[in-house]
Amino acid sequence: MTAFRFIHASDLHLGRRFANIPQPEDGNIRGRLMEARHGVIARLAQAARDHGAAHVLLAGDTFDTATPSPSVLRQALTAMAEDLDLTWWLLPGNHDNLTNAEPLWERLSAEAPATVRPLLDATPRIMTETACLLPAPVTHRAPGRDLTEGLGAMPSPDGAFRIALAHGGVTDFEDTGAHIPPDRAARARLDYLALGDWHGRLQIDARTHYPGTPEQDRFKHGRRGLCLAVSIEVPGATPEVTEVETGQFWWTEADLPVQAGLDTAAALDRLLPPSGRRDVLMRVRATGWASLAQRADLVRAIHAAAPDFAWLTLNAEALGALLDDVDLDTIDHAGALRQAAETLKTEAENPDLSAEDRGVAAEALARLYAYVTEQPA
C-alpha cells in the first residue's frame, strides 16, 4: 500500500466583501482582497501538485454566504476544473450550511464539473481503492449538536484509510453540547480528522487539525494563510502534516511605545516592514504618552507611508497626551484658538471626566494642533 496524500484546507469564504475595511479614495483594497480569495483555488491546486496529492478537502465555508453571486460560484467551479487530475471535496459549513444555502448546493450539484464533489449528506465516499472519506456536513448555521457523533458508526472498507471531514469548534464555552470532542479521532478510529471553522492554524492532536483560512481576513492570527499537506503511510500510522503557505496578504498588528522626546516618525519607520508592503494590511497601536508635536509627526508619518501598503492605519486610543504651554503657543498665543485649546487641555486633564471623555478632548486638541500646523489629522 502506498501512502495516501491530500490537501486539507477550509474557510475560503469566497465572495466575502470586506465591508469592515475602509476603502481609500485612491485604491481598491476590497477588490484586491476578494480577488486574492479566488486566487487561493489555484494556490491550493499548486500545493497539491507539489506534494503529490490528488485530493483537496475543503472543511466548510467555501462560500462566505448562502447566496454567492453567480460569477463567484461559476468562477470557483471553473478554477477547480482546471486540473483534471485533482478532485475537490466540498463540505457545507455554517456560512454555507445545507438549510440556508440549499439553492446554492442544488446549483453547485447541477453545475459542478467531475472534479468537484459536494458532500451533502453524512454518507461515506470512496476516494481511492484504499481511502474512505467520512463527511459531517453542517445542516444549520447553529445545529446545536455535535455533528461528528456519527463518525464512529460510519462503515469503511477493511484496511482503508478513514479520513473524516467536519466543521465546528472543539471547545464549547457555552456547554451547548455542540462542540466536537478533542478525542473524536480516537473514538471514531480515524486516521485523520480534517476540521474547519477556526481561521487560525490549530493542532488538536496528531490526527486532528485546523488549517485556518488559506487567505487571512483578520488581524487576529498574525501570519499569512496556509493549507496542510497530509501524508499517511499506512492506516493507523501517525499522519505527516506539512504547513504550506498560500496567503497573498499579511494582516499584522504592532505596538509603538511612545515616550517624551521620542522621534515618533523615525520610530514608526523602524517598526514598518522594509519590503512587500503592497500586500500588507497593518494596524499600528500607539501606546504611552506623546506631546502634540510627537503625535502630529506620527500621524503625518502614517499618512506618508500608507500608499505603500494594502492598508495602514493608526490606533491612538491608548496614547496619552503630554500637554504643555509650548504646544498651546504653537496653536495660538491668544485669541479664540488659544481659548479653545486651553479648554480642551483642561478637559483632557480633568480627573472628574471619564477616560473616554478625556480621550475625546485630547484627540480634538491634537487635531486642532495638526490643523494649525497644516499636518494631516
Side-chain angles (χ1 to χ4, degrees):
M1 177 182 290
T2 58
F4 182 58
R5 297 181 174 87
F6 59 92
I7 296 297
H8 171 200
S10 72
D11 297 274
L12 274 65
H13 287 274
L14 299 174
R16 182 170 182 187
R17 297 184 179 277
F18 294 93
N20 60 317
I21 299 296
Q23 188 86 306
E25 295 181 0
D26 59 347
N28 183 27
I29 181 56
R30 293 177 188 168
R32 292 188 64 211
L33 292 172
M34 291 179 67
E35 183 60 28
R37 302 200 81 75
H38 175 78
V40 157
I41 297 173
R43 294 194 288 276
L44 291 174
Q46 186 60 53
R49 290 188 290 268
D50 291 344
H51 289 84
H55 299 268
V56 177
L57 277 57
L58 300 183
D61 288 355
T62 300
F63 299 95
D64 189 55
T65 70
T67 56
S69 68
S71 61
V72 168
L73 175 59
R74 289 290 297 276
Q75 290 172 17
L77 295 179
T78 299
M80 292 177 188
E82 290 186 359
D83 190 333
L84 299 179
D85 295 324
L86 190 59
T87 301
W88 300 75
W89 301 87
L90 275 60
L91 185 83
N94 60 306
H95 279 250
D96 51 13
N97 64 82
L98 287 172
T99 299
N100 297 103
E102 183 178 4
L104 163 64
W105 292 105
E106 288 179 352
R107 281 192 56 204
L108 196 151
S109 297
E111 300 177 13
T115 56
V116 177
R117 309 285 180 87
L119 301 166
L120 306 186
D121 55 57
T123 302
R125 269 62 166 197
I126 302 300
M127 301 176 72
T128 70
E129 293 180 355
T130 60
C132 183
L133 181 61
L134 314 176
V138 177
T139 54
H140 301 79
R141 187 173 181 90
R145 62 187 180 89
D146 171 23
L147 297 172
T148 69
E149 189 173 7
L151 292 176
M154 284 190 188
S156 59
D158 290 341
F161 293 98
R162 287 173 60 85
I163 312 297
L165 190 60
H167 187 92
V170 168
T171 302
D172 185 359
F173 294 104
E174 299 181 359
D175 195 24
T176 63
H179 69 289
I180 301 169
D183 61 348
R184 174 59 72 202
R187 292 192 202 182
R189 309 178 314 283
L190 302 177
D191 291 290
Y192 188 87
L193 175 53
L195 293 177
D197 190 33
W198 181 245
H199 283 207
R201 169 75 175 107
L202 182 63
Q203 176 177 339
I204 304 303
D205 61 28
R207 301 182 186 277
T208 307
H209 296 261
Y210 289 92
T213 176
E215 183 64 59
Q216 276 298 343
D217 54 8
R218 60 193 68 179
F219 291 100
K220 185 173 183 178
H221 303 292
R223 62 184 300 188
R224 282 184 167 86
L226 54 88
C227 69
L228 302 178
V230 183
S231 177
I232 312 175
E233 288 296 324
V234 294
T238 301
E240 179 183 336
V241 180
T242 303
E243 297 179 357
V244 182
E245 188 174 279
T246 52
Q248 174 182 342
F249 287 96
W250 178 33
W251 298 60
T252 183
E253 291 182 298
D255 284 341
L256 179 62
V258 179
Q259 64 215 10
L262 178 71
D263 184 335
T264 51
L268 176 70
D269 186 61
R270 292 190 295 270
L271 185 69
L272 299 179
S275 61
R277 293 181 175 184
R278 187 173 186 271
D279 292 335
V280 175
L281 290 90
M282 188 170 187
R283 192 158 57 189
V284 176
R285 181 175 180 268
T287 61
W289 298 87
S291 68
L292 294 181
Q294 286 177 298
R295 187 183 184 117
D297 287 345
L298 177 57
V299 171
R300 184 177 67 252
I302 286 282
H303 278 262
D308 291 340
F309 287 79
W311 193 67
L312 176 66
T313 189
L314 173 66
N315 179 349
E317 292 178 0
L319 184 62
L322 294 174
L323 307 175
D324 55 36
D325 289 339
V326 173
D327 289 331
L328 300 189
D329 287 343
T330 300
I331 294 173
D332 199 359
H333 288 280
L337 286 181
R338 177 59 179 249
Q339 183 177 355
E342 289 180 345
T343 299
L344 290 172
K345 180 177 181 292
T346 300
E347 292 180 357
E349 297 175 335
N350 187 351
D352 294 331
L353 295 178
S354 68
E356 181 179 359
D357 288 342
R358 293 197 303 272
V360 169
E363 176 67 20
L365 184 55
R367 287 179 175 271
L368 178 59
Y369 181 94
Y371 172 77
V372 170
T373 57
E374 297 184 351
Q375 296 173 1

